[in-house]
Amino acid sequence: DAGVIQSPRHEVTEMGQEVTLRCKPISGHNSLFWYRQTMMRGLELLIYFNNNVPIDDSGMPEDRFSAKMPNASFSTLKIQPSEPRDSAVYFCASSLLRAGELFFGEGSRLTVL
Amino acid sequence: KNQVEQSPQSLIILEGKNCTLQCNYTVSPFSNLRWYKQDTGRGPVSLTIMTFSENTKSNGRYTATLDADTKQSSLHITASQLSDSASYICVVSANSGAGSYQLTFGKGTKLSVIP
């Protein structure tokens, strides 16, 4: 298996623009997670899905952030409008069980100018 | 509130030397504890998992310990190599009931192994 695939790997955009990050989880995994990583705060859970259904989105910072999982093999994280404080590395991870090992993608590094 | 504290924040050691990273947690009810290794510019990768009944587990040159009474875990790296340079993240899972789990992440220890 190719592992968790994220795109884009790097994104530089201007404040106010819409950003869409994409994730393809490992085939057969039924849980998908979106994390944000910064030097100050480490890894923070934004939202997680189980069987394509959002279970916990309490980590989503505000209404500017939204996530979807239309099917078992694809998820998106959208930021609209983006702000400089959104600059971070965004990771997608999937797992077979809710308490199982997380398999992370390589991350999407977002820079908002 | 569930918390995971790691120490030291950063560490520099000479190649070939041993080192120990610490993880203290206040997570309840405890389910398991994992150590992840994160190379620069990459996603974290699981090194080992510790459950409540396990005290020690090894994965090559990595040995993890767990003291469930004091809520402490350590990751010992033996005969360090340059490729061990990375951030090591402690993640504790809590069983929040009804088949649901909550993960609490430490902020990591950044290890630099120098020749």
Side-chain angles (χ1 to χ4, degrees):
Chain A
D1 200 312
V4 176
I5 300 173
Q6 290 188 245
S7 64
R9 289 296 312 276
H10 303 275
E11 173 100 6
V12 180
T13 190
E14 292 186 343
M15 182 174 62
Q17 296 298 305
E18 178 179 295
V19 174
T20 299
L21 308 179
R22 298 173 178 80
C23 175
K24 175 178 168 54
I26 292 174
S27 178
H29 283 190
N30 56 7
S31 293
L32 181 140
F33 305 77
W34 281 101
Y35 288 93
R36 178 171 65 178
Q37 187 176 42
T38 61
M39 289 290 292
M40 289 294 294
R41 302 170 71 93
L43 277 161
E44 300 174 284
L45 176 67
L46 298 176
I47 185 171
Y48 92 87
F49 296 84
N50 192 59
N51 294 322
N52 312 339
V53 176
I55 302 299
D56 181 0
D57 65 354
S58 58
M60 296 286 263
E62 49 199 90
D63 292 344
R64 298 184 297 106
F65 285 68
S66 62
K68 294 182 179 180
M69 191 166 187
N71 57 62
S73 58
F74 184 67
S75 177
T76 59
L77 178 67
K78 185 175 293 186
I79 308 173
Q80 167 63 19
S82 58
E83 297 182 2
R85 60 192 169 120
D86 300 331
S87 297
V89 181
Y90 291 81
F91 285 101
C92 176
S94 70
S95 71
L96 186 56
L97 302 171
R98 289 190 192 185
E101 176 182 354
L102 293 176
F103 291 82
F104 286 83
E106 299 289 52
S108 294
R109 179 176 292 277
L110 173 65
T111 302
V112 183
L113 304 174
Chain B
K1 178 182 178 183
N2 290 337
Q3 288 187 313
V4 175
E5 300 288 339
Q6 291 188 244
S7 63
Q9 188 173 3
S10 63
L11 182 63
I12 301 174
I13 62 173
L14 291 173
E15 185 180 11
K17 298 296 186 182
N18 304 335
C19 68
T20 301
L21 314 180
Q22 299 289 345
C23 173
N24 296 341
Y25 62 91
T26 54
V27 173
S28 181
F30 177 87
S31 176
N32 63 61
L33 182 150
R34 287 184 185 273
W35 284 93
Y36 284 82
K37 179 187 179 188
Q38 185 177 20
D39 293 318
T40 301
R42 309 293 297 274
V45 175
S46 178
L47 288 174
T48 184
I49 178 173
M50 306 290 289
T51 57
F52 187 85
S53 59
E54 296 174 309
N55 298 120
T56 303
K57 183 175 284 188
S58 292
N59 178 3
R61 294 180 296 101
Y62 300 100
T63 299
T65 66
L66 176 67
D67 186 332
D69 292 330
T70 61
K71 299 187 177 181
Q72 296 180 326
S73 177
S74 66
L75 181 69
H76 185 76
I77 304 174
T78 303
S80 61
Q81 300 176 359
L82 297 179
S83 59
D84 294 329
S85 296
S87 288
Y88 292 83
I89 302 170
C90 176
V91 183
V92 184
S93 175
N95 186 342
S96 48
S100 184
Y101 294 83
Q102 181 182 38
L103 299 180
T104 304
F105 286 73
K107 292 186 179 180
T109 292
K110 185 175 174 62
L111 174 66
S112 298
V113 180
I114 59 175

